[in-house]
């Protein structure tokens, strides 16, 4: 659409409908907004918007509601995402800062998003295949046993034990040298790259220690190569029941959410599509590939270093898009900072 006034009328209709959940008429637009035109002009603009499929009459009344296409035009023309207040930012930061591990971060983030938006929140666990090695610790537990701890930039921590064929004598710096070489070969690499980089590590050690080095490398390589079942965490699904009067077909949505593989595939695709930090993706109505989600909008963004996963909220198409987008982006920023710290 090229007519800026009609776009302003569309914006006003979206805002009023989101606020009141009632169809919006020309009289209400004149009373609530300074559009600077007559009632007849607004009626003409509304007729043009309806012809273009951006608004529709839910029943025989003077009021109109936005269509999915109307919401799309509104979202695409948002000049900026509404900023959060300082108190909101402090509350988010304080709540997430109390997390004790990755599982707690994910659970808290999902609950926080659901509370902030009053929608259903979805958070994908960080993907191993997109994670990088931050540090590998090798700790001697006994002369013949060591603990390996792999710390990833996604916040994941993997622990394994390994048995040495030859005891490590007191004063032998084998474990310290092994730790140093492990980190030199893997630091900052994706897991698949790190596994390949360890293949020749044995050559850096004396022959009598190479069997032990092989055991360590085999253990770490196995961890890096594991195929893990990716997971998503949901929170606030009860909010969907309260949104049932907003044109949301609740049961198909709940059925889709129960199929975690469907949600996981959707979130994975969105994370890959939004690798640039701060990019918020909005899928409205039938833009969602799963038929059960056609009465919803999904607002998501990626989080973590290298956009390792996605988080977001799902609710009726009648939602406060600027505020929801701001909440999703702000929470993703704080989660990323927490994981990277």
């Amino acid at each position: 659409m090229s007519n800026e006034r009609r776009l302003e009328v569309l914006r006003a209709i979206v805002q009023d409908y989101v606020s009141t959940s009632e169809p919006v008429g020309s009289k209400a637009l004149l009373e609530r907004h300074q559009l600077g035109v007559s009632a007849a002009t607004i009626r003409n603009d509304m007729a043009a918007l309806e012809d273009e499929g951006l608004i529709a009459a839910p029943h025989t009344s003077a009021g109109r509601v936005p269509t999915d296409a109307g919401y799309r035009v509104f979202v695409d023309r948002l000049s900026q995402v509404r900023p959060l207040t300082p108190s909101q930012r402090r509350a988010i930061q304080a709540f997430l800062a109390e997390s004790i591990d990755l599982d707690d971060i994910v659970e808290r983030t999902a609950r926080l998003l659901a509370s902030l938006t009053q929608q259903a929140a979805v958070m994908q666990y960080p993907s191993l295949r997109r994670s990088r090695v931050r540090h590998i610790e090798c700790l001697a537990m006994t002369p013949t046993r060591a603990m390996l701890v792999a710390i990833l930039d996604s916040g994941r921590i993997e622990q394994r034990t390994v048995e040495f064929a030859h005891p490590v004598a007191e004063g032998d710096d084998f474990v310290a040298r092994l730790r140093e070489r492990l980190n030199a070969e893997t630091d900052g690499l994706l897991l698949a790259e790190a596994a390949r980089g360890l293949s020749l590590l044995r050559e850096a050690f004396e022959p009598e220690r190479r069997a032990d080095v092989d055991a360590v490398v085999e253990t770490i390589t196995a961890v890096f190569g594991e195929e893990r079942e990716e997971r998503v965490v949901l929170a606030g699904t009860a909010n969907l029941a309260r949104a049932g009067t907003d044109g949301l077909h609740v049961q198909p949505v709940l059925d889709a959410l129960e199929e975690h593989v469907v949600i996981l595939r959707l979130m994975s695709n969105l994370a890959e599509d939004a690798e640039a930090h701060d990019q918020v993706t909005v899928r409205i109505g039938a833009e969602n590939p799963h038929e059960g989600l056609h009465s919803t909008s999904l607002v998501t963004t990626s989080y973590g270093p290298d956009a390792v996963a996605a988080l977001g909220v799902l609710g009726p198409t009648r939602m406060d898009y600027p505020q929801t987008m701001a909440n999703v982006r702000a929470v993703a920023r704080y989660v990323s900072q927490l994981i990277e710290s």
Side-chain angles (χ1 to χ4, degrees), residues 137-326:
E137 189 58 69
C138 185
L139 302 169
M141 301 173 64
T142 70
T144 59
R145 177 178 295 178
M147 169 72 75
L148 299 173
V149 182
I151 303 172
L152 309 182
D153 67 351
S154 61
R156 288 198 182 204
I157 299 175
E158 302 289 337
Q159 296 184 168
R160 299 291 188 277
T161 58
V162 63
E163 298 288 338
F164 293 146
H166 304 287
V168 179
E170 186 176 351
D172 189 337
D173 66 349
F174 168 65
V175 172
R177 288 187 291 123
L178 181 58
R179 180 192 308 119
E180 182 180 352
R181 291 308 301 262
L182 286 171
N183 284 287
E185 297 295 338
T186 62
D187 182 48
L189 297 181
L190 293 170
L191 300 195
E193 299 170 342
R196 289 193 295 269
L198 294 174
S199 59
L200 299 178
L201 189 62
R202 68 192 316 269
E203 303 302 326
F205 291 83
E206 54 272 21
E208 62 270 21
R209 280 297 176 193
R210 289 175 181 174
D212 295 331
V213 174
D214 288 342
V216 169
V217 169
E218 182 179 345
T219 300
I220 294 176
T221 301
V223 170
F224 289 174
E226 284 181 357
E227 289 293 333
R228 299 295 183 83
E229 179 185 0
E230 302 294 348
R231 290 192 291 157
V232 291
V233 169
L234 304 175
T237 53
N239 292 328
L240 298 175
R242 291 192 287 273
T245 57
D246 290 337
L248 183 71
H249 304 306
V250 177
Q251 193 56 51
V253 174
L254 294 178
D255 291 342
L257 290 177
E258 286 185 1
E259 299 180 43
H260 276 209
V261 65
V262 171
I263 301 302
L264 181 60
R265 186 181 304 118
L266 180 59
M267 297 297 283
S268 296
N269 291 340
L270 290 170
E272 292 176 0
D273 290 344
E275 292 197 2
H277 288 296
D278 289 345
Q279 180 176 332
V280 178
T281 300
V282 181
R283 285 191 173 179
I284 301 170
E287 295 173 357
N288 291 304
H290 194 286
E291 185 176 356
L293 302 179
H294 283 184
S295 63
T296 70
S297 286
L298 183 62
V299 180
T300 61
T301 192
S302 58
Y303 73 90
D306 296 327
V308 295
L311 58 80
V313 298
L314 181 141
T317 54
R318 189 188 75 84
M319 70 164 62
D320 185 344
Y321 289 97
Q323 188 63 60
T324 301
M325 293 166 70

